[in-house]
Amino acid sequence: MTSRKVVELFYDVVSPYSWLGFEVMCRYRNVWNIDLKLRPAFLGGIMHGAGNKPPGLVPNKFSYMTKDLHRLANYFDVPLHPPSDPFEVMFQKGSLSAMRFVTAVQQIEKGGDKQVEQVSRELWRRIWSEDKDITQPESFSEAAKKAGLTDSEIEEVLKLCISQEVKDKLKHTTQEALNYGAFGFPMLICHIDGRPEMFFGSDRFELMANCIGEKWLGPKPDSSASKL
Ligand SMILES: N[C@@H](CCC(=O)N[C@@H](CS)C(=O)NCC(=O)O)C(=O)O
């Protein structure tokens, strides 16, 4: 039996704070004694289901977040640059089809989650670094190609992502996040002694490390400290 603690990361590529949390967890997955599970979900469904509103809709929060994200991009060393029209990108175009695409990638990936990791990263790069579209099939193809999927895998995923099976899977994961108490992303669930402990945000790693008996070594832990 493994002694690794299971840590689930619920995220949506529309969320810049999720990108930060995602990169940190990917850096720590071989440093901490954890089994990281990537849980792509739909932030719009979380907001609706939890009766919450995106923080960017409050003007003062929006201008604070713009500065905050600039500082955090440097601190975490993630190439985050807001799109020219964040409102259009986040609230009009949204991420439903993108998250169905990521869900479909997870569905076809057998053994590990390298492809889900790379495709998620490429979609974040498009929306939150390069100001590119993440709603059209051509955009998904480009992201998946950069992530290393073959042409036939991309064709399969593009078919799968409009299927009822994938729509239901994304709904189900989003509902699981709500059941854990989600009201926003990123959300991390640490399974400690059979109990799920929930952490919200990319700014709770020090506390989370303390709860799982690990050390927070800053945003870029030396991978030579790996326990593997
Ligand atoms: N303090 C958190 C903020 C995270 C955050 O604002 N996430 C947004 C999505 S990008 C959200 O879902 N917010 C819900 C809320 O603040 O209630 C962090 O540093 O990561």
Side-chain angles (χ1 to χ4, degrees):
M1 212 177 81
T2 175
S3 63
R4 284 168 180 271
K5 292 195 173 75
V6 172
V7 176
E8 298 179 79
L9 169 63
F10 289 87
Y11 66 91
D12 183 322
V13 299
V14 80
S15 153
Y17 288 96
S18 292
W19 192 10
L20 303 173
F22 171 91
E23 294 299 349
V24 168
M25 286 314 300
C26 289
R27 292 170 192 167
Y28 272 90
R29 73 193 312 177
N30 292 331
V31 174
W32 288 342
N33 192 25
I34 57 169
D35 181 6
L36 179 66
K37 305 246 185 259
L38 298 179
R39 306 297 313 273
F42 179 49
L43 184 56
I46 297 295
M47 290 292 166
H48 181 77
N52 198 359
K53 286 199 170 51
L57 292 178
V58 177
N60 279 358
K61 269 194 194 176
F62 179 77
S63 51
Y64 173 76
M65 282 167 70
T66 308
K67 286 194 200 105
D68 190 43
L69 286 170
H70 179 69
R71 289 187 295 236
L72 289 167
N74 290 325
Y75 176 69
F76 284 111
D77 194 15
V78 172
L80 208 157
H81 307 288
S84 50
D85 187 345
F87 283 94
E88 185 196 20
V89 162
M90 288 192 284
F91 307 128
Q92 286 165 21
K93 290 177 139 192
S95 58
L96 184 57
S97 15
M99 294 317 292
R100 284 179 179 157
F101 187 77
V102 178
T103 302
V105 171
Q106 191 162 53
Q107 202 86 326
I108 65 146
E109 189 165 16
K110 292 163 193 85
D113 55 12
K114 208 65 211 159
Q115 292 184 325
V116 176
E117 178 184 332
Q118 298 285 25
V119 169
S120 302
R121 182 173 290 120
E122 290 307 328
L123 289 169
W124 263 307
R125 208 192 299 281
R126 289 182 72 86
I127 174 172
W128 278 102
S129 198
E130 298 169 347
D131 200 3
K132 287 184 178 159
D133 172 79
I134 60 152
T135 64
Q136 299 302 315
E138 312 83 68
S139 308
F140 303 147
S141 295
E142 273 179 36
K145 213 171 178 60
K146 281 204 172 154
L149 271 71
T150 62
D151 288 345
S152 67
E153 283 172 332
I154 295 172
E155 205 180 308
E156 187 185 354
V157 176
L158 282 174
K159 271 193 207 130
L160 194 59
C161 76
I162 52 171
S163 69
Q164 196 57 44
E165 181 192 356
V166 159
K167 290 179 185 173
D168 290 346
K169 172 87 200 310
L170 181 62
K171 250 192 215 156
H172 181 78
T173 308
T174 304
Q175 187 57 49
E176 269 186 87
L178 284 166
N179 295 347
Y180 278 128
F183 55 88
F185 284 162
M187 179 182 74
L188 291 130
I189 301 294
C190 297
H191 294 268
I192 306 167
D193 301 327
R195 275 178 303 107
E197 290 280 342
M198 193 262 254
F199 298 87
F200 166 67
S202 53
D203 50 1
R204 286 292 179 271
F205 291 117
E206 193 162 1
L207 179 65
M208 196 183 110
N210 180 266
C211 291
I212 61 172
E214 297 284 354
K215 264 208 179 82
W216 170 243
L217 303 168
K220 292 179 85 181
D222 179 356
S223 48
S224 65
S226 164
K227 288 182 177 170
L228 287 179

